[in-house]
């Protein structure tokens, strides 16, 4: 158990494997069952068998659609009729807008006024109503609270929401169904929605499985939080991996703390090298956040693990890159 906000929280009390299995049923036919790719030349570099769960082929180009879809599909008809709301300028914004559109309901997406135009356009393309706010956490939260009070919409947090966490956990269900021989999973961590869901599902299906979190050194709040035993918020993240700049959530942290073997941090150069490797050798697009787990596998820390992992599952979490801003 862990103490969160003076609440005694058992690890499995937030979500269980049953929640993940229910999510798999809800999103079936709506979310894509993404392929697992392999690459013998990267296996040779990593000295083991790697299995890449390719969530850049998911709807909206990232894993976030799973959680958003599960959350929207879980709403009662009465609640759904009032719509949904979130604050995000990232993949969750597009994911929630599309999930709402597929259910035929409204979505309000609070975005900072300096968010890239391409992201705003994408949200509006999926039918989301963009509500602008100043570029700080308080403005974002206050604006979302105002939208919820005015509309009655249900607020869907980008990661600290049990339906979102369960939806992301379906990644692990599919990985272990397709490749039961996996002995290790390496998963990027930002807010922890994906990692916590994967921990619950993978440990339930295969208790012996080893799980490692992968994190940029320039945004290493998870590594610091695990070491301290409590959440240390992200204050000034400096990383190319824009999807991993958030702090861990109060729901996600205890699950992660109890389930993972270690957090492996990687430098910006290591992230870029891994990203280049995936593009060049596998011929698939991954955003920087998606390359972080491979970067972790290639570190000396991972390479020297004893016993050595043999069959390693890696989540390529997304492929959304602003190509206009990219330095070619």
């Amino acid at each position: 158990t862990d103490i969160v906000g003076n609440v005694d929280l058992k690890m499995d009390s937030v979500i269980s494997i049953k929640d993940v299995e229910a999510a798999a049923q809800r999103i079936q036919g709506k979310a894509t069952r993404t392929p697992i790719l392999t690459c013998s030349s990267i296996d040779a570099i990593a000295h083991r068998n790697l299995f890449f769960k390719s969530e850049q082929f998911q709807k909206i180009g990232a894993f976030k659609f799973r959680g958003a879809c599960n959350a929207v599909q879980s709403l009662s008809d009465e609640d759904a009729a009032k719509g949904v709301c979130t604050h995000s300028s990232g993949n969750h914004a597009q994911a929630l807008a599309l999930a709402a559109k597929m259910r035929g309901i409204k979505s309000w997406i609070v975005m900072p006024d300096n968010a890239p135009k391409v992201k705003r356009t994408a949200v509006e393309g999926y039918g989301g109503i963009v509500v602008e706010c100043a570029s700080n956490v308080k403005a974002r939260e206050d604006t979302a609270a105002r939208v919820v009070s005015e509309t009655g919409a249900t607020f869907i947090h980008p990661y600290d929401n049990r339906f979102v966490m369960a939806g992301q956990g379906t990644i692990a269900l599919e990985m272990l169904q397709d490749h039961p021989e996996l002995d290790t999973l390496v998963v990027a961590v930002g807010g922890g929605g994906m990692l916590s869901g994967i921990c619950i599902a993978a440990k339930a299906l295969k208790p012996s499985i080893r799980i490692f979190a992968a994190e940029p050194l320039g945004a290493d709040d998870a590594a610091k939080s695990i070491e301290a035993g409590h959440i240390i918020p992200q204050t000034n993240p400096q990383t190319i991996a824009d999807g991993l700049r958030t702090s861990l959530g109060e729901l996600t942290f205890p699950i992660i703390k109890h389930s993972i073997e270690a957090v492996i941090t990687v430098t910006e150069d290591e992230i870029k090298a891994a990203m280049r490797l995936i593009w060049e050798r596998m011929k698939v697009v991954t955003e920087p956040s998606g390359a972080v787990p491979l970067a972790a596998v290639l570190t000396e820390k991972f390479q020297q693990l004893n016993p050595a992992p043999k069959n390693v599952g890696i989540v390529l979490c997304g492929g959304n890159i602003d190509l206009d801003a990219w330095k070619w």
Side-chain angles (χ1 to χ4, degrees):
T1 62
D2 202 6
I3 305 297
V4 177
N6 298 324
V7 177
D8 194 25
L9 179 67
K10 287 189 172 60
M11 187 184 95
D12 59 359
S13 65
V14 181
I15 62 167
S16 70
I17 185 65
K18 288 192 174 71
D19 296 304
V20 181
E21 289 168 342
Q25 290 294 315
R26 281 191 207 102
I27 70 175
Q28 190 173 5
K30 297 176 180 71
T32 303
R33 188 184 177 107
T34 54
I36 292 177
L37 304 179
T38 57
C39 178
S40 56
S41 65
I42 299 182
D43 285 358
I45 296 166
H47 308 293
R48 64 209 74 226
N49 303 317
L50 305 182
F51 299 84
F52 295 88
K53 181 64 166 166
S54 301
E55 285 292 294
Q56 69 271 49
F57 300 132
Q58 188 52 260
K59 285 192 170 68
I60 72 100
F63 76 93
K64 292 273 189 180
F65 182 73
R66 294 173 181 267
C69 183
N70 185 47
V72 167
Q73 291 297 325
S74 299
L75 294 173
S76 67
D77 289 343
E78 187 183 353
D79 286 338
K82 297 171 189 167
V84 288
C85 172
T86 197
H87 49 64
S88 170
S89 58
N91 293 331
H92 178 68
Q94 295 174 52
L96 191 66
L98 178 58
K101 182 182 182 182
M102 288 171 74
R103 188 159 176 188
I105 64 175
K106 284 184 174 179
S107 63
W108 285 269
I109 313 294
V110 176
M111 298 182 90
D113 49 22
N114 64 348
K117 188 170 181 289
V118 63
K119 295 197 171 177
R120 181 182 176 134
T121 305
V123 167
E124 290 173 338
Y126 291 126
I129 302 161
V130 174
V131 184
E132 284 194 346
C133 69
S135 182
N136 63 71
V137 173
K138 187 177 187 309
R140 198 172 62 188
E141 292 175 350
D142 289 351
T143 306
R146 177 175 57 79
V147 170
V148 167
S149 71
E150 288 174 2
T151 63
T154 299
F155 181 73
I156 312 283
H157 194 279
Y159 50 88
D160 222 26
N161 172 299
R162 53 188 296 266
F163 292 103
V164 170
M165 293 156 66
Q168 321 307 22
T170 60
I171 295 168
L173 284 189
E174 293 173 14
M175 291 178 81
L176 284 166
Q177 284 165 359
D178 291 354
H179 288 280
E181 72 272 26
L182 292 174
D183 54 60
T184 305
L185 299 177
V186 184
V187 185
V189 62
M194 173 172 61
L195 178 57
S196 61
I198 284 175
C199 284
I200 291 292
K203 287 288 187 182
L205 294 177
K206 192 171 184 176
S208 65
I209 203 160
R210 303 166 76 183
I211 303 174
F212 293 86
E215 184 176 48
L217 191 58
D220 63 345
D221 65 304
K224 286 176 176 151
S225 299
I226 295 289
E227 194 178 343
H230 59 87
I231 294 174
I232 295 177
Q234 188 72 262
T235 49
N236 185 29
Q238 298 294 324
T239 178
I240 188 177
D242 55 313
L244 306 179
R245 292 174 186 157
T246 44
S247 301
L248 287 169
E250 289 202 354
L251 300 182
T252 63
F253 174 66
I255 295 170
I256 292 166
K257 185 161 83 80
H258 282 280
S259 307
I260 67 167
E261 192 166 321
V263 181
I264 298 175
T265 54
V266 292
T267 66
E268 295 300 286
D269 285 345
E270 287 170 333
I271 296 169
K272 290 173 189 171
M275 190 171 164
R276 182 173 186 133
L277 207 52
I278 292 164
W279 283 51
E280 280 186 348
R281 304 295 176 95
M282 297 180 70
K283 316 302 177 194
V284 296
V285 172
T286 181
E287 60 191 79
S289 302
V292 168
L294 176 60
V297 166
L298 298 177
T299 59
E300 194 176 340
K301 179 175 180 177
F302 191 89
Q303 293 293 318
Q304 292 181 348
L305 287 173
N306 188 14
K310 290 178 184 166
N311 297 308
V312 181
I314 285 175
V315 183
L316 296 177
C317 54
N320 290 331
I321 295 178
D322 183 352
L323 293 176
D324 290 332
W326 191 250
K327 293 179 179 65
W328 292 95

